[in-house]
Amino acid sequence: MLEVHDLSVKYGYINALNGIDLNVQEGEIITLIGGNGAGKTTTLMAISNLVAKDGGHVFFKGMDITELPAHKIVQMGISHVPEGRKIFPLLTVKENLIAGTFGSKKKSAADLENKIAEVCTLFPRLKERIRQAGGTLSGGEQQMLAIARGLMMEPDIIMLDEPSLGLAPIIIEEIFRLILRIKDSGKTVLLIEQNAAMALQVADRGYVLERGNITIEGTGKELLTDERVRKAYLGI
Amino acid sequence: MEYFIAQIVNGLAQGSIYALMAIGYSVVVGVVGLVTFTHGEVIMLGAYASYYAFTFVGENIFLGIIAAFFASWFIGIFVYKICYERFFDSPRHISLICTIGMSMLLKNLAQIVFGPNMKAMPQPIALNFVNVLGVRINTIQILIIFVVLSLSLGLYIVNNKTQWGIRLRAVSQDKQASALMGINVRRTAMIGNSIGCSLGGVAGMLIAIYYQSILPTMGGSLGLKAFSSAVLGGLTEASASALGGLLIGLIENLGTSVLSNSYRDVFAFIFLVLVLIIKPEGFSKKVGG
Ligand SMILES: Nc1ncnc2c1ncn2[C@@H]1O[C@H](COP(=O)(O)OP(=O)(O)OP(=O)(O)O)[C@@H](O)[C@H]1O
Ligand SMILES: [Mg+2]
């Protein structure tokens, strides 16, 4: 469904990505793991065309989306929940959720309310805070809002950039359970994580990114038992 | 005492024009993310659009509002295309400098096209005095306050009660996140910029009616007053900017009643300097980025 071919990105003289290839099939959870500065965020930004590519192509549902402007890529059905949440601080929780629908066809007022109610069943906390300004939510609540907002457009694929960053273990488990539920609802997930152990447990397949290169790839199970992965990312 | 109350009424009327300019200014700064130095010229051109509508079509206030609104709307698009859109990925000060150049260009073109001299502004409604609760107020002042309140209310409704408002506010707060929502950030910023310019243009018409005169160089101090008012709102908060405009209007009129009329502009800029010294971040309730 999503294919990345020979993708390279440079920031000035720094090579952030050196021709990586990856593909995501419909209905899969794919995880991209790697240390700090490996280029994970850059990969998602390049797919969304928020950074200029130095080379390579991105295909979605067979279409070349390499040069499409960012908002058009979203409108094709790719939801990107960015690193650091990027909640609109002065919009209420509800308005943030409504903003999440701008990438899809305009919904009727009733459909919009239904959709909001639906994502609120995934995140009951958000329902209690529906009129609160996004910027006043706690970090964990903001992360939930960011994911909920990413689901509002009913995307075909959702790309999550470190959804567990800075959250308490209990909340992290909640988020991973939710990722499985997103998959069960028929969506495809591209998950970036530092928390390699948990990511690999939920993932169908995974890629390991090191200094801008994909060094290892395989099923979640294979990677969990891979000696190099265990040493470098699982601390075993 | 009566004189004092009259000056307060004058201050409120004039202040509400400044408020409208400042609201427009804050909308522009919000969506494009930069201060602009062209707002004064947009105000001036809005005033001229209504001047020509009054002169050549008819002295109808609605006509004047429509002419000023749409003329500044298109000037807003022009400024946006030249000064912002082309420089989205360049350092921010490039756009800023471009608005300074644009301001000079428009001011000088206006002198060539409209003539450099002051002209009498047609008066679309008759000047009469009425008593409201014992306070003498004239019909022009009522008109001004009515127009400003209507447009502010309109903006409030668009901003807070429509999905377009959510788009505009999202783009003001975080352009990258907005793009990730599927919002066409450039188009939204362009329309937001035009909305702000249109409010400025209508305010330009009102100030020309208020002073009964119009001049190609009128934009200079008006743009600075809009900026000074908006500083009170941390530049992007419309309601606090409006309050800033009202305050400047009041200070000016009370100040001129104590000192000479020729110090009029001094008060606005003393106000700006004081706000910057005492509370440089303004009085907006904005939190975070
Ligand atoms: N805007 C930028 N300008 C210059 N260099 C950048 C920029 N953004 C990222 N980089 C560099 O590119 C490399 C990859 O960064 P990236 O953010 O993709 O890493 P990451 O894998 O997401 O790391 P983390 O897990 O810490 O978020 C890093 O070396 C980083 O310093
Ligand atoms: Mg990252």
Side-chain angles (χ1 to χ4, degrees):
Chain A
M1 174 150 76
L2 179 70
E3 274 181 66
V4 172
H5 279 308
D6 198 25
L7 178 67
S8 302
V9 173
K10 276 186 189 158
Y11 294 112
Y13 295 109
I14 304 168
N15 294 320
L17 292 177
N18 308 311
I20 66 162
D21 291 284
L22 60 87
N23 68 79
V24 183
Q25 307 300 326
E26 196 165 346
E28 282 186 315
I29 298 183
I30 297 298
T31 187
L32 192 57
I33 58 175
N36 289 115
K40 307 181 296 294
T41 298
T42 301
T43 306
L44 293 197
M45 301 270 277
I47 292 173
S48 292
N49 204 4
L50 290 173
V51 294
K53 298 174 195 68
D54 194 43
H57 287 274
V58 181
F59 297 92
F60 183 61
K61 294 179 184 163
M63 216 184 111
D64 188 343
I65 61 165
T66 314
E67 301 294 339
L68 277 190
H71 66 275
K72 290 255 170 67
I73 293 178
V74 178
Q75 288 167 8
M76 290 203 55
I78 301 181
S79 180
H80 179 171
V81 179
E83 186 170 42
R85 296 142 193 167
K86 298 284 173 70
I87 293 301
F88 299 110
L90 299 176
L91 298 187
T92 64
V93 169
K94 185 171 179 183
E95 288 168 339
N96 267 284
L97 291 175
I98 294 173
T101 64
F102 291 154
S104 53
K105 276 205 287 298
K106 195 165 162 52
K107 287 183 166 56
S108 70
D111 286 351
L112 190 60
E113 290 300 327
N114 286 340
K115 189 70 201 168
I116 291 173
E118 185 190 323
V119 300
C120 282
T121 57
L122 296 176
F123 303 95
R125 274 162 202 258
L126 294 182
K127 197 171 179 179
E128 297 159 20
R129 295 169 169 74
I130 200 87
R131 307 219 162 275
Q132 197 173 321
T136 62
L137 296 178
S138 78
E141 289 161 358
Q142 288 195 14
Q143 187 63 62
M144 291 177 197
L145 177 56
I147 299 174
R149 188 179 65 176
L151 290 170
M152 283 298 290
M153 61 175 272
E154 299 175 338
D156 299 317
I157 179 169
I158 184 163
M159 308 196 292
L160 303 169
D161 196 339
E162 299 206 39
S164 73
L165 190 74
L167 302 184
I170 284 193
I171 314 266
I172 294 182
E173 274 180 34
E174 212 173 296
I175 299 249
F176 274 95
R177 262 200 300 278
L178 189 91
I179 291 170
L180 286 171
R181 280 178 72 177
I182 295 174
K183 175 192 162 140
D184 290 341
S185 70
K187 296 197 187 346
T188 309
V189 181
L190 176 53
L191 170 67
I192 287 192
E193 263 302 332
Q194 295 250 4
N195 193 331
M198 294 200 66
L200 290 173
Q201 277 170 32
V202 300
D204 296 297
R205 291 186 297 119
Y207 294 86
V208 177
L209 195 58
E210 283 173 9
R211 270 183 255 111
N213 298 293
I214 287 182
T215 49
I216 314 171
E217 59 177 280
T219 64
K221 283 209 185 70
E222 282 167 6
L223 293 181
L224 271 174
T225 51
D226 186 288
E227 210 41 54
R228 293 163 295 173
V229 174
R230 286 170 73 91
K231 267 218 181 81
Y233 300 106
L234 303 176
I236 310 177
Chain B
M1 188 61 201
E2 213 160 278
Y3 176 69
F4 186 66
I5 290 176
Q7 284 299 355
I8 291 186
V9 171
N10 289 343
L12 285 176
Q14 204 174 349
S16 51
I17 303 178
Y18 294 157
L20 190 59
M21 293 175 185
I23 292 171
Y25 195 94
S26 70
V27 172
V28 170
V29 175
V31 291
V32 302
L34 263 183
V35 293
T36 164
F37 290 98
T38 318
H39 202 58
E41 277 56 51
V42 172
I43 291 169
M44 177 270 294
L45 290 168
Y48 271 96
S50 62
Y51 169 87
Y52 284 109
F54 291 148
T55 309
F56 291 117
V57 188
E59 294 191 1
N60 178 309
I61 184 66
F62 294 105
L63 180 71
I65 293 176
I66 289 169
F69 192 93
F70 285 103
S72 349
W73 183 281
F74 288 111
I75 291 155
I77 291 178
F78 178 69
V79 173
Y80 181 85
K81 291 269 174 205
I82 300 216
C83 289
Y84 299 118
E85 191 164 80
R86 306 156 59 83
F87 301 122
F88 250 106
D89 302 318
S90 320
R92 306 300 276 144
H93 64 264
I94 306 243
S95 287
L96 200 99
I97 292 167
C98 181
T99 67
I100 297 177
M102 181 62 85
S103 151
M104 294 177 189
L105 176 73
L106 293 177
K107 192 181 310 189
N108 287 290
L109 276 180
Q111 286 176 306
I112 295 171
V113 176
F114 306 140
N117 299 325
M118 187 178 278
K119 291 192 170 97
M121 183 73 178
Q123 297 292 298
I125 64 166
L127 181 65
N128 287 312
F129 288 86
V130 284
N131 264 310
V132 181
L133 304 170
V135 178
R136 231 165 93 90
I137 179 164
N138 72 41
T139 41
I140 302 277
Q141 291 170 329
I142 294 174
L143 169 78
I144 288 168
I145 292 173
F146 183 74
V147 170
V148 171
L149 283 182
S150 314
L151 287 177
S152 312
L153 183 69
L155 179 69
Y156 177 83
I157 290 173
V158 168
N159 247 341
N160 294 288
K161 305 287 174 204
T162 70
Q163 294 209 358
W164 249 100
I166 298 180
R167 276 173 203 264
L168 285 172
R169 284 183 291 146
V171 167
S172 303
Q173 287 167 43
D174 190 331
K175 296 199 171 34
Q176 189 161 312
S178 297
L180 290 181
M181 300 298 109
I183 297 174
N184 186 339
V185 174
R186 290 178 183 214
R187 204 176 63 115
T188 309
M190 181 173 89
I191 291 171
N193 180 60
S194 278
I195 291 175
C197 288
S198 293
L199 298 180
V202 174
M205 175 197 78
L206 292 177
I207 201 94
I209 292 175
Y210 187 80
Y211 281 125
Q212 305 181 3
S213 62
I214 188 166
L215 185 66
T217 50
M218 67 193 264
S221 70
L222 291 175
L224 273 171
K225 281 178 196 170
F227 170 76
S228 310
S229 316
V231 163
L232 191 74
L235 287 175
T236 57
E237 180 104 2
S239 49
S241 304
L243 186 66
L246 274 180
L247 276 177
I248 289 188
L250 277 174
I251 294 171
E252 254 186 50
N253 282 278
L254 292 176
T256 49
S257 63
V258 181
L259 293 166
S260 149
N261 197 24
S262 48
Y263 289 128
R264 184 171 277 281
D265 289 349
V266 173
F267 299 109
F269 303 123
I270 289 180
F271 175 81
L272 170 66
V273 171
L274 283 182
V275 171
L276 286 174
I277 291 172
I278 298 167
K279 205 156 172 18
E281 72 280 17
F283 290 85
S284 78
K285 55 180 189 296
K286 192 161 186 164
V287 287

